[in-house]
Amino acid sequence: MASNSSYPTRPLGGSAKSIHIGRIAFGCMGMTWVDPKHYTPDQQAFETIKAAVDAGSNLLNSGAFYGPPSDPYANLKLLRRFFDAHPDYKSKTVLSVKGGMNVAAYSQKGMPGLQPDASVQHLEADLAEIRNQLGSDHGGKHVDIYEMARIDPSTEIEDVMYNMLSLSSQTYTDKSGNQQTGKGLFDHISLSEVGLDSIKRASAVAPIACIEIEVSPWERSAYDMGIVDFCSQQHVPILAYSPTGKGMLAGTIQSPDDIPEGDPRKHMDRLAGENFTQNLKLAHEFRKAAEAHNPPVTPTQLGLAWLIQSSPDPTNPVIVPLPGTSKAARARENAQAATLHIDAETKSQIDSLISGFQVAGGRYNEAARQHSKLWG
């Protein structure tokens, strides 16, 4: 399905194993999860999405809440306008949509209201609205992958999987041992921000197409927790969000003041005060290594390539970096990183650099951690 036939790909997992995605995916969130006055204009957004897909990044990642509380479906609306304007890209792309969150409460209360609800009634209503926003029942883009954005602590993960199966297009065996076919609201299941135990338990119920978690030179918990090894063994790709340190590798932010109001990065300890200064040092080291590379590459390309090549099985890398951008040139640059080979010496140097670096601060600030279900 990749638009660029020569671009390196890998299969999705489970029921989606016949679908190949580019080794670098494309995150759409940043175009709309900002103050409305900072939305990426349609023409610019469309050219960026086309550039990413044409370069080989054919998996698009969106969310049912990737907009401000006043306009939570902004990202899905943008994608509908994109596919309406460029209908040929519907067949060129794999669309993954995060959902399962209480969007109504988010609209009323902001981030504290954005809580998971994995009841089958809520998931069905959530999918109905996602499909409505995309125009799925009227010639719009279908939901290829539906992703539970956070684990609902009030629902056992096994029940979450059965609830999702009942709404999917899959034929499955229910808890009573009877064969059932879902309602066809989406095709394949994904989970986000999920821990190893939940992944194992979920996988025992139904095949998982992919997992989305944060992985970057600054965030290595997925390796330490055994998630990367397990997903590699199970052939379930990991969509690594924020792979460039939320803009630090790209050089788009040089101080906390560069982060606009309304941007979710305002809630992250690692991008605040002295923590930012410390963490930026790692980006500077990547810049030196990128300039020394033969031929020279950008720090972002080096970081993305390093992530891909940090998979346990180098012949079938499990890490699929998921960078986002609002600029077409940057989207092409990011995609090109999948073709970059880092020699053993450079890889070893970067490994040593990262293992010896002291990351400052947590992934989110204290207030955000109270309503963010991390590693569920």
Side-chain angles (χ1 to χ4, degrees), residues 123-145:
L123 295 182
E124 184 168 5
D126 187 46
L127 277 159
E129 187 56 34
I130 289 170
R131 292 174 60 84
N132 176 55
Q133 294 293 340
L134 290 170
S136 300
D137 295 325
H138 304 283
K141 177 66 176 172
H142 180 64
V143 181
D144 299 304
I145 300 171

Side-chain angles (χ1 to χ4, degrees), residues 42-92:
D42 276 8
Q43 182 176 355
Q44 180 181 337
F46 294 177
E47 289 305 311
T48 302
I49 295 170
K50 287 170 60 182
V53 177
D54 291 346
S57 296
N58 65 324
L59 187 143
L60 304 181
N61 183 269
S62 182
F65 47 89
Y66 277 2
S70 61
D71 188 18
Y73 295 107
N75 208 257
L76 295 177
K77 294 175 183 177
L78 171 67
L79 286 176
R80 180 172 186 171
R81 296 193 299 272
F82 169 75
F83 287 117
D84 283 348
H86 302 283
D88 52 318
Y89 278 78
K90 287 186 288 186
S91 62
K92 295 179 180 180

Side-chain angles (χ1 to χ4, degrees), residues 5 42 75 77 127 138 160 172 215 286 299 301 307 358 368:
S5 60
D42 276 8
N75 208 257
K77 294 175 183 177
L127 277 159
H138 304 283
V160 174
Y172 65 99
V215 189
F286 261 89
Q301 288 176 322
L307 275 176
Q358 185 64 48

Side-chain angles (χ1 to χ4, degrees), residues 42-365:
D42 276 8
Q43 182 176 355
Q44 180 181 337
F46 294 177
E47 289 305 311
T48 302
I49 295 170
K50 287 170 60 182
V53 177
D54 291 346
S57 296
N58 65 324
L59 187 143
L60 304 181
N61 183 269
S62 182
F65 47 89
Y66 277 2
S70 61
D71 188 18
Y73 295 107
N75 208 257
L76 295 177
K77 294 175 183 177
L78 171 67
L79 286 176
R80 180 172 186 171
R81 296 193 299 272
F82 169 75
F83 287 117
D84 283 348
H86 302 283
D88 52 318
Y89 278 78
K90 287 186 288 186
S91 62
K92 295 179 180 180
T93 54
V94 178
L95 178 61
S96 177
V97 181
K98 280 200 194 72
M101 306 295 279
N102 192 326
V103 178
Y106 171 58
S107 296
Q108 297 168 359
K109 304 176 183 178
M111 289 300 293
L114 194 60
Q115 299 295 325
D117 182 348
S119 65
V120 70
Q121 296 86 356
H122 178 263
L123 295 182
E124 184 168 5
D126 187 46
L127 277 159
E129 187 56 34
I130 289 170
R131 292 174 60 84
N132 176 55
Q133 294 293 340
L134 290 170
S136 300
D137 295 325
H138 304 283
K141 177 66 176 172
H142 180 64
V143 181
D144 299 304
I145 300 171
Y146 181 58
E147 184 177 334
M148 189 71 198
R150 294 290 187 273
I151 297 303
D152 181 353
S154 68
T155 307
E156 295 293 334
I157 187 63
E158 291 83 0
D159 291 329
V160 174
M161 295 300 289
Y162 282 117
N163 290 347
M164 294 179 79
L165 280 169
S166 73
L167 302 171
S168 75
S169 61
Q170 298 179 40
T171 298
Y172 65 99
T173 302
D174 66 17
K175 289 195 288 187
S176 299
N178 299 314
Q179 192 172 73
Q180 306 285 353
T181 299
K183 294 185 176 182
L185 301 182
F186 71 100
D187 289 337
H188 309 289
I189 293 174
S190 177
L191 302 172
S192 178
E193 205 61 74
V194 62
L196 180 59
D197 181 63
S198 292
I199 296 172
K200 289 181 175 180
R201 290 167 56 194
S203 298
V205 174
I208 298 174
C210 53
I211 295 294
E212 185 183 345
I213 51 180
E214 184 175 355
V215 189
S216 78
W218 289 266
E219 180 49 58
R220 303 272 293 160
S221 300
Y223 291 90
D224 300 335
M225 297 167 69
I227 293 173
V228 174
D229 281 337
F230 180 79
C231 287
S232 180
Q233 294 162 8
Q234 299 298 312
H235 307 292
V236 176
I238 294 172
L239 302 182
Y241 77 80
S242 297
T244 68
K246 300 178 172 67
M248 281 195 282
L249 271 186
T252 54
I253 52 173
Q254 293 296 319
S255 81
D257 294 336
D258 293 334
I259 303 172
E261 290 301 324
D263 190 305
R265 292 176 294 180
K266 285 286 190 185
H267 304 289
M268 297 172 182
D269 276 349
R270 290 177 185 168
L271 301 181
E274 294 181 359
N275 290 346
F276 184 96
T277 302
Q278 167 64 12
N279 293 327
L280 193 62
K281 293 176 182 177
L282 184 56
H284 291 158
E285 293 300 320
F286 261 89
R287 181 168 298 279
K288 293 177 186 177
E291 291 172 350
H293 190 273
N294 185 19
V297 294
T298 69
T300 294
Q301 288 176 322
L302 185 63
L304 296 176
W306 173 80
L307 275 176
I308 294 172
Q309 292 171 223
S310 294
S311 297
D313 179 4
T315 64
N316 188 28
V318 70
I319 301 291
V320 178
L322 179 62
T325 181
S326 60
K327 297 177 174 61
R330 185 80 74 177
R332 284 188 285 267
E333 173 191 304
N334 290 346
Q336 289 166 3
T339 65
L340 174 64
H341 176 72
I342 304 174
D343 63 58
E345 181 180 356
T346 302
K347 173 70 165 52
S348 178
Q349 290 173 349
I350 296 174
D351 289 345
S352 297
L353 170 66
I354 291 172
S355 63
F357 185 80
Q358 185 64 48
V359 176
R363 293 168 59 196
Y364 295 90
N365 63 25

